[in-house]
Amino acid sequence: MAINCTVNKKKVSLDIDPNTPLLWALRDHLSLLGTKYGCGIAQCGACTVWVNGEPTRSCVLPISAVSNALITTIEGLDPAGKHPVQVAWDELDVPQCGYCQAGQIMTAAGLLKKNPQPTDQEIVDGMSGNICRCGTYHRIQEAVKLASKKTKK
Amino acid sequence: MKTSRRDFIQKTALFTGVFTLGFDWFSAEASPMEVVAGAGRFNAFLSIDSLGKITLFSPNPEIGQGIKTAFPVVVAEELDVDWAQVQVEQANLDTKQFERQLTGGSGALKHSWERLRKAGATVRKMMMQAAANQWKVDVAQCKTSKGFVLGPAGQKASYGSLAEAASTLPVPSDVTFKDRKDYKIIGTRVKGVDNKNVVTGKPLFGIDIRKPGMVFAQIVRPPFGATLKSFSAEDVKKMPGILDVVSFKNKVAIVGENTYAILQARASLTCDYSSEAPLESNDTHANWFDEGMKSDKAQVMRKDGDFAAAIASAAKVIEATYECPFISHSPMEPMNFFADVKADSVLLAGPTQVPQPAQKAVSDLLKIPVDKIQVELSKMGGGFGRRLSNDFVLEAAELSSIIKKPVLVMWTREDDMTGGTYRPAARYRFKAGLDKNGEIIAFALRGVGLNAGNSTRQDNFPVGAIENVLIESIDQKSAVTTGPWRAPITNFLGFAEQAFLDEVAEAAGKDPIQMRLALLEKVKTKPVGKITYEPARFEEVIKQVAEKAQWKKKPGVHQGFSVYYSHLSYVAQIAEVKVEKGKPKVTKVTAVTDCGEVVNLSGAENQVKGAIIDGMGHALFAKLNFQKGVASPANFNAYRMIRGNEIPVIEAHFVNNGIAPTGLGEPALPPTGGSIANAIYAATKKRHYKQPFN
């Protein structure tokens, strides 16, 4: 039976193995390639998307669990790149290779949605589940802070 | 500065309203420039359209080092245009137009600095000449600013409006470069040209490649040293979404319609292996290190004076042994590559640091001429040297040739971590002899590497300052595959050397910084043998870091010092450690880097901070174990990567000396293990001799 859900405000129907992790459904079946594979075991955060507004590791979440859910991927955060987190990421020139950044941004935007003015420690804690192999951590943390300021205005 | 005709090509009116000025970014004086063939085929060029938009094609593979931003910055500076006018595109492999179209060795800017400046400055001069002709004035009276030529009577013409006329002019043989005090872009903070695409999730990477008719595949590889005997394909072939199961070179490839189908099929696949020699385990490697240390077959890499006599006469001898394991590169984007092999042509696409060798290797494998093999470059999700080995390209090409379909071969994280081409494991033994005044009179290093090639860097400081030196290397052959890992060899040797010097300084009763400065003074006044580094540049980074980090002037703060020269750049570091709940914690690293001219300050800071975090993370946590030819751990749950809550404050300073730029992708990494270990020692009196520390 097909799984119906909403991805980036579009209704989609996935008639595939219900055990398929959401990550591969997005990438291989919906051609949404912005969400990245990093480890497949929910350790690195590269695959982070929102499920009903909650940052979620899509690599271990079967699509059977997202029936009727609202899913937001990096492509749907703000396609024009005007979300405060995206703007802050560009302004502070966060990316090096850029591969993990979709997951970082979805985690950061999720964090700020829940806690628009996090303390420095809350930012560090909130972002430390996401690995960046290039080591852009300082700028990630600074960019979350900057995005928080932008959101406040 | 001379520009020869062959460095430059001009093409006019390929398209209405557009003309391109091509230049060879990498031309060797000896190689004649080929003419760019055919409209729409863009290779080495700078194009200016009639609206004044400038397109720069960046030839080198972008891996996160920022070259796709830094190269065009240099061209745009000398062209004297506004950065906002510039559009940057990635060029694909073109061996006719480009030299050194690769990512490795932190060598791109060093190689291309003159070429890039010439490319911009020459076109700028042609624009001025075209304007001078139009206004009937002397070109010497013309100036440029932000993509405009300005005339003596207030005339103003955009590069776009002058482009067609400029293209018909002879290429000037002499161009002058800007004075660096007039730089408007170089040395500023320039944001990555791909940022917008990254933050909106555009498909930029190899893993994102999709081509018509493409299938997916994963490959099961044997333990190191093992041979594939048999595998169970029949049931796997019948699984949903599976198209084929084929074997080549001891590997089994599962071809399918999508990733999840293949992952499930893999779980059902069983492979039987055999081996002639015993498969390697941790103990095997430890034995090989022991043997190498005892061996009388070491290759002498450098010999100054008489080490044996000097050490025998020493008042004090310091000896220490350091060891590092095999480690994985673990870029966030695992290996992958696309190949479409047809009877007489091949399309390769994906992330490789060395596209030309990839093309050549595939040509050799498939017996298809290189000119029939096209290579498209994708952005690389990191690499750290892993993508210098083209094993993953060859696999994709071979598989496509067998299944006769375009295929994207994807490595899982487990494949990537256990599939080889690691940083080689190595053991180092240092000996130093001090005279009664605490001066170093003898210095020896023996490196034993496992598939490391020369595991030493025999000319490294303090060699050059010491009368009696013996540097030896032994390479033990292992079935475990190895390759360059960010700052090859020095990524660990740097730690060992700098930690050892700290120990020597203590034994000599000297301050570690003062001891190094005294050694450098000797290199200046009484150099011993070949000197490969510039002592004055060493001294400058050392003095600056001591001042910036307030060396030994911060009560209660435990500091460790290191300094390193690699890839033609100099980096000095001071790490600070405090003890929290009985455990040392690295709180700050101050780094002073001399990489010559800093082209993009934002990118440069990113490289230094990233390399320090990389060096620290791997020094603290990384290790692969071997059991019967199989590496573990296989994923990030047990193979610890440093995270955002574990990083110190990092200050990245740069020496402002205007020397032509040198490497920066790697040089800040090698000193990191040393500065941290030395600071940990200052805090705890415990020395680290092995990586990982934890």
Side-chain angles (χ1 to χ4, degrees):
Chain A
M1 216 180 70
I3 307 282
N4 296 303
C5 57
T6 303
V7 179
N8 299 336
K9 297 182 182 162
K10 269 188 220 150
K11 287 199 184 318
V12 301
S13 182
L14 289 163
D15 194 7
I16 55 172
D17 186 333
N19 292 320
T20 305
L22 176 60
L23 169 68
W24 299 115
L26 293 169
R27 290 187 56 86
D28 293 354
H29 300 279
L30 298 174
S31 297
L32 289 167
L33 298 165
T35 305
K36 294 295 187 268
Y37 166 76
C39 68
I41 56 166
Q43 290 291 311
C44 76
C47 68
T48 304
V49 299
W50 292 353
V51 176
N52 295 324
E54 277 293 314
T56 304
R57 301 294 163 90
S58 65
C59 71
V60 291
L61 186 72
I63 56 163
S64 58
V66 297
S67 192
N68 299 319
L70 299 175
I71 294 155
T72 307
T73 70
I74 185 73
E75 290 94 339
L77 184 65
D78 182 345
K82 302 288 187 207
H83 186 283
V85 170
Q86 291 168 311
V87 173
W89 244 247
D90 176 48
E91 236 174 84
L92 294 184
D93 196 25
V94 173
Q96 287 190 33
C97 87
Y99 188 84
C100 73
Q101 301 296 351
Q104 304 277 4
I105 288 169
M106 294 310 287
T107 304
L111 170 74
L112 291 177
K113 200 152 51 102
K114 207 176 263 182
N115 180 2
Q117 290 169 54
T119 62
D120 289 358
Q121 193 57 48
E122 284 168 342
I123 292 172
V124 169
D125 292 344
M127 296 306 298
S128 64
N130 289 61
I131 296 173
C132 171
R133 174 68 178 82
C134 298
T136 64
Y137 296 125
H138 293 103
R139 288 192 184 177
I140 285 171
Q141 291 163 11
E142 288 156 21
V144 176
K145 213 166 161 175
L146 178 62
S148 162
K149 276 187 202 146
K150 287 178 186 291
T151 313
K152 210 162 46 176
K153 275 174 198 165
Chain B
M1 187 83 227
K2 281 196 99 175
T3 303
S4 62
R5 173 69 204 177
R6 64 175 178 251
D7 285 337
F8 236 89
I9 49 162
Q10 300 169 56
K11 294 199 63 72
T12 51
L14 285 180
F15 306 107
T16 314
V18 178
F19 102 100
T20 63
L21 286 167
F23 63 86
D24 180 6
W25 300 77
F26 300 103
S27 84
E29 286 301 313
S31 63
M33 187 70 193
E34 303 265 338
V35 172
V36 182
R41 172 147 180 234
F42 302 120
N43 299 306
F45 77 100
L46 176 170
S47 87
I48 300 177
D49 75 11
S50 55
L51 298 171
K53 189 169 85 180
I54 295 127
T55 307
L56 303 178
F57 275 57
S58 185
N60 282 27
E62 173 62 56
I63 201 168
Q65 84 281 44
I67 207 67
K68 193 175 167 186
T69 306
F71 268 18
V73 158
V74 180
V75 179
E77 181 69 69
E78 289 294 344
L79 187 58
D80 206 22
V81 292
D82 205 28
W83 180 245
Q85 291 173 274
V86 171
Q87 183 169 310
V88 179
E89 303 283 345
Q90 178 72 54
N92 287 325
L93 176 65
D94 189 330
T95 54
K96 291 198 173 80
Q97 300 301 327
F98 300 132
E99 260 180 44
R100 206 189 181 281
Q101 196 175 2
L102 61 85
T103 292
S106 297
L109 270 166
K110 165 79 179 156
H111 177 269
S112 301
W113 172 242
E114 291 289 317
R115 290 169 172 82
L116 298 169
R117 290 197 297 165
K118 192 165 81 172
T122 307
V123 177
R124 174 177 170 268
K125 192 161 182 190
M126 292 166 80
M127 291 292 169
M128 288 198 293
Q129 189 60 58
N133 294 351
Q134 195 179 308
W135 300 330
K136 302 195 178 3
V137 299
D138 186 348
V139 69
Q141 293 177 288
C142 295
K143 289 187 292 195
T144 58
S145 175
K146 296 187 175 183
F148 289 88
V149 180
L150 309 175
Q155 303 98 318
K156 186 175 181 183
S158 72
Y159 285 4
S161 71
L162 295 164
E164 193 162 351
S167 74
T168 63
L169 297 173
V171 176
S173 57
D174 291 300
V175 293
T176 48
F177 295 142
K178 276 187 182 176
D179 192 311
R180 65 189 293 263
K181 72 173 167 33
D182 298 324
Y183 284 164
K184 295 183 182 74
I185 315 172
I186 288 176
T188 65
R189 292 176 181 275
V190 183
K191 295 184 285 193
V193 294
D194 280 334
N195 282 3
K196 289 267 162 61
N197 287 331
V198 166
V199 302
T200 51
K202 297 289 184 297
L204 304 168
F205 299 93
I207 190 183
D208 304 333
I209 288 169
R210 297 293 182 271
K211 304 268 187 188
M214 184 189 96
V215 295
F216 295 87
Q218 291 180 20
I219 293 176
V220 178
R221 299 169 187 86
F224 296 104
T227 307
L228 179 67
K229 253 168 55 185
S230 63
F231 61 99
S232 62
E234 290 319 305
D235 289 346
V236 176
K237 275 185 188 172
K238 286 178 205 147
M239 291 179 74
I242 297 304
L243 301 169
D244 212 343
V245 180
V246 300
S247 171
F248 60 96
K249 294 199 172 80
N250 280 319
K251 299 167 186 181
V252 180
I254 303 175
V255 184
E257 290 168 357
N258 63 71
T259 311
Y260 185 60
I262 298 170
L263 285 170
Q264 282 183 299
R266 282 187 76 164
S268 303
L269 180 79
T270 52
C271 295
D272 286 322
Y273 300 101
S274 64
S275 63
E276 284 173 16
L279 296 175
E280 295 170 30
S281 297
N282 282 2
D283 291 349
T284 325
H285 299 149
N287 287 338
W288 288 347
F289 283 141
D290 292 344
E291 286 167 18
M293 282 301 167
K294 285 181 227 149
S295 170
D296 55 7
K297 298 200 171 59
Q299 192 182 349
V300 175
M301 306 307 299
R302 175 158 174 157
K303 193 172 181 295
D304 296 323
D306 185 344
F307 171 78
I311 199 85
S313 73
K316 201 173 199 176
V317 175
I318 306 104
E319 186 175 337
T321 301
Y322 300 83
E323 193 177 311
C324 68
F326 291 101
I327 57 173
S328 153
H329 299 75
S330 303
M332 288 310 292
E333 180 189 19
M335 296 306 103
N336 63 81
F337 223 79
F338 170 88
D340 185 6
V341 177
K342 298 206 164 75
D344 58 355
S345 71
V346 179
L347 173 62
L348 302 173
T352 172
Q353 293 178 237
V354 276
Q356 190 177 354
Q359 184 190 48
K360 175 72 167 61
V362 170
S363 169
D364 292 346
L365 175 78
L366 302 176
K367 312 290 177 233
I368 294 174
V370 286
D371 60 4
K372 302 287 184 204
I373 301 173
Q374 192 189 337
V375 188
E376 293 176 2
L377 302 181
S378 68
K379 192 173 171 70
M380 290 181 272
F384 312 98
R386 177 62 183 89
R387 296 185 218 274
L388 287 164
S389 305
N390 280 316
D391 52 320
F392 51 91
V393 182
L394 285 167
E395 280 181 349
E398 187 156 7
L399 180 58
S400 176
S401 77
I402 293 168
I403 63 172
K404 303 197 185 328
K405 285 191 180 83
V407 62
L408 178 65
V409 176
M410 260 283 301
W411 297 47
T412 62
R413 174 59 57 196
E414 289 83 0
D415 293 336
D416 195 271
M417 206 168 274
T418 62
T421 311
Y422 302 122
R423 188 275 300 275
R427 186 184 286 180
Y428 294 101
R429 185 179 63 213
F430 290 85
K431 269 188 199 177
L434 305 178
D435 68 12
K436 61 182 185 335
N437 301 318
E439 301 295 320
I440 309 174
I441 54 168
F443 182 83
L445 165 65
R446 174 175 284 204
V448 183
L450 308 184
N451 286 351
N454 173 16
S455 56
T456 71
R457 291 294 178 263
Q458 61 275 4
D459 300 322
N460 271 3
F461 175 80
V463 172
I466 299 163
E467 289 289 332
N468 305 291
V469 167
L470 179 64
I471 312 288
E472 302 166 299
S473 174
I474 296 185
D475 196 25
Q476 304 276 46
K477 291 297 160 205
S478 162
V480 178
T481 54
T482 62
W485 195 102
R486 192 180 198 175
I489 301 300
T490 59
N491 60 58
F492 179 75
L493 177 62
F495 151 74
E497 289 174 352
Q498 294 300 309
F500 184 65
L501 283 179
D502 205 64
E503 208 164 321
V504 170
E506 187 184 39
K510 292 180 177 174
D511 174 79
I513 288 185
Q514 291 310 318
M515 182 182 83
R516 286 172 178 85
L517 290 173
L519 288 166
L520 287 164
E521 190 57 33
K522 277 192 192 164
V523 177
K524 282 159 78 176
T525 53
K526 282 172 64 185
V528 181
K530 182 173 126 190
I531 309 294
T532 56
Y533 49 85
E534 295 174 50
R537 292 178 78 178
F538 248 127
E539 285 172 349
E540 186 61 27
V541 290
I542 294 172
K543 285 176 182 167
Q544 284 201 22
V545 83
E547 188 192 313
K548 306 258 188 218
Q550 297 177 274
W551 175 246
K552 298 266 174 84
K553 283 180 187 156
K554 293 163 95 173
V557 176
H558 306 288
Q559 294 177 317
F561 171 81
S562 72
V563 63
Y564 217 70
Y565 166 69
S566 74
H567 305 90
L568 305 173
S569 294
Y570 301 76
V571 182
Q573 291 181 7
I574 290 175
E576 297 180 3
V577 162
K578 68 176 177 188
V579 179
E580 269 181 9
K581 294 174 192 157
K583 280 189 173 172
K585 186 183 174 193
V586 183
T587 52
K588 187 173 178 183
V589 177
T590 306
V592 174
T593 300
D594 173 2
C595 59
E597 193 78 77
V598 171
V599 170
N600 174 6
L601 182 57
S602 178
E605 275 181 3
N606 256 344
Q607 289 310 303
V608 170
K609 292 187 178 185
I612 290 171
I613 290 170
D614 188 354
M616 175 168 158
H618 286 90
L620 293 181
F621 306 125
K623 178 174 185 172
L624 284 173
N625 289 295
F626 289 83
Q627 187 62 39
K628 293 189 175 154
V630 177
S632 68
N635 208 324
F636 293 139
N637 54 337
Y639 190 90
R640 279 268 273 112
M641 304 299 290
I642 191 167
R643 291 177 183 270
N645 57 352
E646 296 169 319
I647 56 167
V649 171
I650 298 177
E651 275 185 24
H653 303 278
F654 297 91
V655 175
N656 181 13
N657 58 17
I659 295 170
T662 48
L664 197 55
E666 296 163 283
L669 192 150
T672 305
S675 69
I676 289 170
N678 296 341
I680 291 173
Y681 177 74
T684 64
K685 294 295 152 200
K686 181 181 179 326
R687 292 226 181 254
H688 284 286
Y689 295 99
K690 281 190 181 183
Q691 283 188 0
F693 298 168
N694 290 340

